[in-house]
Amino acid sequence: MAEKILMKGNEAIGEAAVVAGCRHYFGYPITPQSELIEYMAKRLPQVDGVFLQAESEIAAINMVYGAAGAGARVMTSSSSPGISLKQEGISYIAGAELPCVIVNMVRGGPGLGSIQPGQCDYFQATKGGGHGDYHNIVLVPNSVQELVDYTILAFELADKYRNPVMLLGDGALGQMMEPIAFPQGAAAAPAKPWATTGLRGRKEPNVINSLHIQAPDLEKHNIHLQAKYKTIRENETRWETYKTDDAELVLVAYGISARVALSAMEQARAAGMKVGLFRPITAWPFPYEALAPLAGKAKAFLAVELSAGQMVEDVRLAVNGASPVYHYGRLGGMICSPKEVLGEVTKIMQGKEGK
Amino acid sequence: MAEIAFARPESLHDVPFHYCPGCHHGIIHRLVAEVIDELKVRDRTIGVVPVGCSVLAYNYFNFDTQEAAHGRAPATATGVKRVHPDSVVFTYQGDGDLASIGCAEIVHAAARGEKITTVFVNNAIYGMTGGQMAPTTLPEQVTVTSPYGRDPEKVGMPIRVCEMLATLDGAKFIARVAVNNPANMAKAKAAIKKAFEIQMSGLGFAIVEVLSTCPTNWGMTPLEAVAWLEKNMMPYYPLGIFKTPEGVAK
Ligand SMILES: Cc1ncc(C[n+]2csc(CCOP(=O)(O)OP(=O)(O)O)c2C)c(N)n1
Ligand code: SF4
Ligand SMILES: [Mg+2]
């Protein structure tokens, strides 16, 4: 690890991508991630990389498809409305099993929404977004250092599983400045004998494709994808727990909300309430198996997220009725304060939560 | 020694085309394959094929290919070319694919002067989905979504892609050809070859529009279809070279 430097979240993602060996970036400007595309515009030419501002997010994701299919470590980034436009391409990328990294610095929605931070794209990121039976691997960092670490991990996982990986952040993380350190590099990209590089001596042409025109063939392809997703679930599910051992109430939160929830938890502990925090680091695969055993011990769960209640559905699936699951969220780009969360915690601990 | 007068180009797999009788897609595939053979670039060619009747073109071309989303081939090809600048990259696209859903992608690839070649097959209809109106469907032409004939009052006049793209500096070679007779086939092949050479010399974007038949969805025999193309398409879509690096004599 090198010495620590102070960097803005969005720019840290860009530098992390460069450290990971990403030399191709295609994007379209949108707040609150514009520092990232601007960073790539400046940085990639310095390392003989390719930066291209596309005419739209649709074009950008299809450039990613082409570049990933040609064997490159490639990234695109956007925020909510732009990520909606990318969904067609993401589905094709998942179908064709191409490795790439897609960054979504989420803002309030729906529609044009706001430019302030949100976590309201959780469903879109984890439950499909595009058409067909597919999954993105979804990493949800909660600090600028984690933006760095998980950007690098994202490239590694994308190559390992030939799967799109989404880094799901939010406008707050993107704008935040924190001291960070960059590792020396990422695991080198594996050989990609399937890539369309031109034959160059190879006998059989390579084809990048998501079309399987015969239903039995497509079913077989889907069964293969599902087997891959199972392997990812078994090997790549990530989470963190704080003081959940004796917790009567477990907060569940990711990303920026996990930081708010952690402060609320500490304040609650100081006031003598046994509160813990469960933080998913992969939103897909969601750590159901890690959360489920807590259901037998804790009396209640409180999902804290900047949405009207999206991740809470996964919490309910994990808890499976064993304890009540509450939700607290702010909407439309508003961030909740530790005080507000502490208020909810206190209500639940005092048995005043009626829902 | 006997001379081989007609052999399968190496750039085509030895499999039969699935195209309808009288469809020009097969001829156009062959011309592209012959050009790639003649230029000796099969080893570094990457084709990007569309969504349309030629969606399975990757089964026919004997070199690396990517199957793009509907209309997005120019963006996909851009990604490929930017990763392998020394490769020869082309898109093969229908008129619905290129002139309707993919209008933005083709315009911007041309505007960027993207060093790719586009083979644009204009048959004035959506072939694959069963004969719906395309942006290139002619006035009065009956299709299943213009059952009373295309009404320019309501849906405007057909787009002339070559003429439109000719206004963009990044487009260095633009030609419209047909494969309705042997003489035109030879001109078509020459234009396609030129379009690849423009890319290989790094000049910029090149496109060849090929007027093509769809006997099936036009509801005609193959011969009627050729006659219809000559009588109706050629006057509205004049053949010729619209732009070359050498300049076009007016
Ligand atoms: C996003 C999307 N919209 C619609 C379709 C359905 N579709 C498939 S091919 C096609 C039209 C193809 O027409 P054209 O590009 O003219 O090719 P042709 O079949 O005539 O060669 C359409 C609309 C699709 N596959 N994807
Ligand atoms: S439907 Fe039309 S374009 Fe498609 S293969 Fe048949 S004749 Fe050709
Ligand atoms: Mg057509």
Side-chain angles (χ1 to χ4, degrees):
Chain A
M1 285 272 167
E3 66 185 283
K4 293 221 167 192
I5 53 170
L6 200 60
M7 223 170 165
K8 207 177 200 185
N10 282 330
E11 297 182 340
I13 297 171
E15 187 55 32
V18 170
V19 169
C22 168
R23 291 294 178 273
H24 292 81
Y25 173 95
F26 304 94
Y28 187 85
I30 186 169
T31 311
Q33 65 80 57
S34 287
E35 295 89 352
L36 176 48
I37 179 171
E38 290 160 16
Y39 189 86
M40 295 313 257
K42 196 172 57 188
R43 187 74 176 99
L44 278 176
Q46 296 170 352
V47 290
D48 292 329
V50 172
F51 166 85
L52 189 60
Q53 180 169 327
E55 62 269 29
S56 69
E57 289 86 351
I58 296 175
I61 194 71
N62 285 284
M63 290 171 184
V64 167
Y65 177 101
R73 272 197 164 161
V74 55
M75 179 166 95
T76 185
S77 65
S78 188
S79 180
S80 310
I83 295 291
S84 290
L85 277 185
K86 289 187 198 289
Q87 293 303 326
E88 176 201 40
I90 295 173
S91 169
Y92 276 69
I93 285 167
E97 293 192 89
L98 298 177
C100 70
V101 174
I102 301 147
V103 178
N104 183 3
M105 302 310 271
V106 181
R107 64 190 232 183
L112 198 48
S114 72
I115 57 169
Q116 282 78 31
Q119 293 183 316
C120 43
D121 296 354
Y122 182 93
F123 282 158
Q124 186 195 51
T126 62
K127 313 287 176 191
H131 56 285
D133 268 327
Y134 78 93
H135 283 291
N136 306 314
I137 298 171
V138 183
L139 302 174
V140 284
N142 80 340
S143 67
V144 180
Q145 184 63 56
E146 283 199 354
L147 288 177
V148 169
D149 297 342
Y150 295 150
T151 296
I152 294 169
L153 178 66
F155 281 102
E156 292 170 348
L157 292 178
D159 276 337
K160 185 170 174 189
Y161 295 103
R162 284 187 62 179
N163 207 70
V165 179
M166 182 172 282
L167 193 75
L168 189 70
D170 59 69
L173 282 174
Q175 302 301 319
M176 190 177 271
M177 280 186 102
E178 286 182 327
I180 49 167
F182 288 95
Q184 283 314 313
K192 300 181 180 179
W194 46 264
T196 56
T197 55
L199 284 163
R200 302 182 198 256
R202 186 175 3 96
K203 281 273 170 299
E204 284 303 310
N206 283 339
V207 179
I208 299 297
N209 181 27
S210 65
L211 175 69
H212 303 262
I213 212 154
Q214 303 296 338
D217 293 341
L218 182 55
E219 185 179 55
K220 215 155 113 196
H221 178 58
N222 268 281
I223 289 169
H224 157 73
L225 289 179
Q226 292 304 319
K228 177 171 84 172
Y229 299 148
K230 183 166 176 283
T231 309
I232 296 173
R233 273 192 201 98
E234 287 165 2
N235 295 298
E236 308 300 345
T237 307
R238 287 169 165 81
W239 70 92
E240 212 169 50
T241 57
Y242 306 82
K243 303 192 179 166
T244 49
D245 284 350
D246 65 341
E248 291 171 1
L249 172 66
V250 174
L251 307 179
V252 186
Y254 69 94
I256 193 71
S257 295
R259 295 173 68 135
V260 177
L262 186 66
S263 301
M265 181 201 91
E266 276 158 0
Q267 290 171 24
R269 285 268 169 185
M273 292 182 270
K274 287 188 173 160
V275 178
L277 170 65
F278 184 93
R279 176 170 82 95
I281 294 172
T282 49
W284 194 91
F286 187 84
Y288 298 107
E289 276 85 13
L291 187 55
L294 299 182
K297 296 199 276 175
K299 293 202 186 80
F301 292 79
L302 172 62
V304 180
E305 51 182 327
L306 303 181
S307 80
Q310 299 193 12
M311 179 199 61
V312 66
E313 294 196 359
D314 280 331
V315 178
R316 289 201 178 103
L317 277 175
V319 169
N320 200 17
S323 322
V325 175
Y326 303 103
H327 173 262
Y328 182 72
R330 295 294 301 265
L331 311 177
M334 297 298 289
I335 295 193
C336 51
S337 67
K339 196 168 155 225
E340 286 166 30
V341 176
L342 184 63
E344 291 301 306
V345 166
T346 310
K347 267 199 277 177
I348 294 167
M349 293 299 278
Q350 293 175 350
K352 286 182 188 157
E353 176 58 71
K355 278 188 261 177
Chain B
M1 211 173 84
E3 207 180 302
I4 298 173
F6 194 80
R8 181 177 48 81
E10 202 185 356
S11 289
L12 280 184
H13 284 297
D14 191 8
V15 291
F17 291 132
H18 71 277
Y19 300 112
C20 307
C23 176
H24 286 178
H25 268 304
I27 301 172
I28 301 163
H29 282 19
R30 189 181 165 97
L31 295 182
V32 170
E34 285 178 1
V35 163
I36 289 169
D37 277 11
E38 286 171 22
L39 293 171
K40 298 190 170 41
V41 293
R42 191 179 77 91
D43 210 43
R44 56 185 174 106
T45 293
I46 300 149
V48 181
V49 301
V51 179
C53 275
S54 50
V55 69
L56 294 174
Y58 57 80
N59 284 335
Y60 307 135
F61 288 130
N62 184 13
F63 42 74
D64 283 4
T65 48
Q66 292 200 8
E67 162 54 39
H70 194 22
R72 317 297 177 215
T76 302
T78 297
V80 174
K81 184 76 183 193
R82 297 292 178 122
V83 173
H84 299 296
D86 64 331
S87 59
V88 175
V89 179
F90 74 94
T91 72
Y92 185 105
Q93 300 179 257
D95 45 333
D97 193 81
L98 181 144
S100 191
I101 195 166
C103 214
E105 284 77 10
I106 195 68
V107 166
H108 285 272
R112 283 193 302 270
E114 207 61 56
K115 292 165 191 63
I116 61 171
T117 301
T118 291
V119 178
F120 167 41
V121 179
N122 177 3
N123 58 10
I125 207 154
Y126 285 20
M128 188 193 204
T129 39
Q132 295 84 3
M133 185 178 75
T136 43
T137 293
L138 294 171
E140 313 304 325
Q141 188 182 336
V142 172
T143 72
V144 290
T145 52
S146 58
Y148 308 109
R150 178 178 181 136
D151 180 357
E153 271 301 308
K154 293 187 180 137
V155 298
M157 291 293 281
I159 296 177
R160 292 187 183 96
V161 168
C162 288
E163 290 83 340
M164 178 177 77
L165 294 182
T167 66
L168 299 171
D169 290 343
K172 297 300 182 197
F173 179 76
I174 301 183
R176 184 182 289 120
V177 299
V179 289
N180 58 319
N181 59 44
N184 276 345
M185 270 185 225
K187 284 190 199 161
K189 184 172 164 184
I192 292 170
K193 193 166 189 177
K194 176 91 177 172
F196 275 91
E197 284 166 347
I198 296 283
Q199 170 184 178
M200 288 160 65
S201 57
L203 283 175
F205 178 79
I207 180 169
V208 178
E209 173 175 344
V210 188
L211 300 185
S212 185
T213 51
C214 181
T216 301
N217 289 303
W218 293 357
M220 297 175 195
T221 66
L223 282 178
E224 286 166 356
V226 171
W228 190 88
L229 179 148
E230 289 165 353
K231 179 161 180 281
N232 298 285
M233 288 184 78
M234 284 183 172
Y236 189 85
Y237 298 115
L239 305 188
I241 293 174
F242 294 85
K243 213 171 173 183
T244 68
E246 297 84 34
V248 180
K250 289 269 184 267

